[in-house]
């Protein structure tokens, strides 16, 4: 209720243009040249369109005669399409232990392959408990086996490194 007003986003149009001189582009795309703001507004109203400031940083600012509502609509659609095409990278995690059995290892490896096929990055984590920390080379061997089994389907982003009680590697899908 007491929030400050939202800053205006997008280009200025008609009465909100502050410059006195503008470089005017007609409705058909022809360059009319440098004119006064009043002359630009008059041409826009005669055409039944709006005067829109398309390049405010230029000296003098560039204004175009166009349908402002249609312009905003097409910009909104263009941004929505760009958002839809944008790919977010998900990081999936697979946790292992140094003494993971053969069958469990195969299931985890199948999950890693499925994640890579879907285009996600995979973090393979090896957790150590108690006395297993003294034999962390066993965990490193399992992570090396994962790296070899992934083969050409994935690209290793980071080699096995130990942080606290866990060791991990990052795998990205191969292009």
């Amino acid at each position: 209720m007491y929030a400050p007003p939202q800053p205006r986003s997008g280009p200025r149009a008609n009465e909100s243009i502050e410059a006195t001189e503008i470089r005017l582009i007609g409705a058909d795309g022809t360059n009319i040249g440098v004119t006064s703001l009043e002359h630009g507004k008059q041409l826009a109203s005669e055409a039944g369109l709006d005067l829109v400031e398309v390049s405010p940083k230029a000296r003098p600012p560039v204004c175009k005669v166009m349908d402002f509502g249609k312009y905003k609509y097409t910009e909104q659609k263009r941004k929505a399409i760009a958002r839809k095409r944008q790919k977010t990278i998900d990081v999936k995690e697979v946790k292992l232990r140094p003494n993971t059995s053969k069958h469990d290892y195969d299931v985890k490896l199948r999950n890693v392959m499925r994640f890579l096929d879907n285009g996600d990055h995979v973090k393979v984590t090896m957790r150590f408990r108690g006395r297993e920390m003294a034999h962390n080379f066993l965990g490193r061997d399992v992570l090396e086996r994962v790296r070899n089994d992934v083969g050409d389907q994935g690209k290793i982003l980071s080699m096995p490194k130990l942080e606290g009680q866990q060791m991990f590697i990052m795998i990205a899908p191969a292009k």
Side-chain angles (χ1 to χ4, degrees), residues 66-169:
M66 66 171 83
D67 185 1
F68 190 51
K70 183 178 178 183
Y71 174 75
K72 286 197 327 190
Y73 176 77
T74 56
E75 283 295 306
Q76 180 183 0
K77 287 295 177 189
R78 188 180 55 77
K79 287 179 183 175
I81 289 171
R83 267 196 310 273
K84 191 176 4 176
R85 288 183 183 158
Q86 179 176 314
K87 172 73 173 124
T88 58
I89 298 174
D90 293 334
V91 178
K92 305 285 189 169
E93 185 172 15
V94 175
K95 294 183 179 180
L96 295 169
R97 298 285 313 279
N99 52 3
T100 303
S101 68
K102 172 79 172 114
H103 177 264
D104 290 341
Y105 171 81
D106 292 339
V107 170
K108 303 278 187 175
L109 185 65
R110 207 168 31 236
N111 286 338
V112 167
M113 295 300 201
R114 188 185 62 195
F115 295 149
L116 290 174
D117 287 341
N118 290 339
D120 298 325
H121 287 205
V122 181
K123 179 180 182 180
V124 182
T125 304
M126 176 68 57
R127 293 192 56 95
F128 298 103
R129 286 197 200 144
R131 293 182 188 167
E132 292 173 349
M133 284 297 292
H135 306 288
N136 60 16
F137 60 90
L138 295 173
R140 185 178 300 275
D141 292 343
V142 173
L143 290 178
E144 291 292 331
R145 196 166 104 204
V146 169
R147 189 179 89 182
N148 292 335
D149 289 345
V150 165
D152 294 337
Q153 242 185 323
K155 182 176 106 183
I156 306 299
L157 297 179
S158 67
M159 298 307 286
K161 54 183 163 188
L162 185 66
E163 287 186 1
Q165 294 205 340
Q166 57 188 17
M167 184 182 292
F168 65 91
I169 59 173

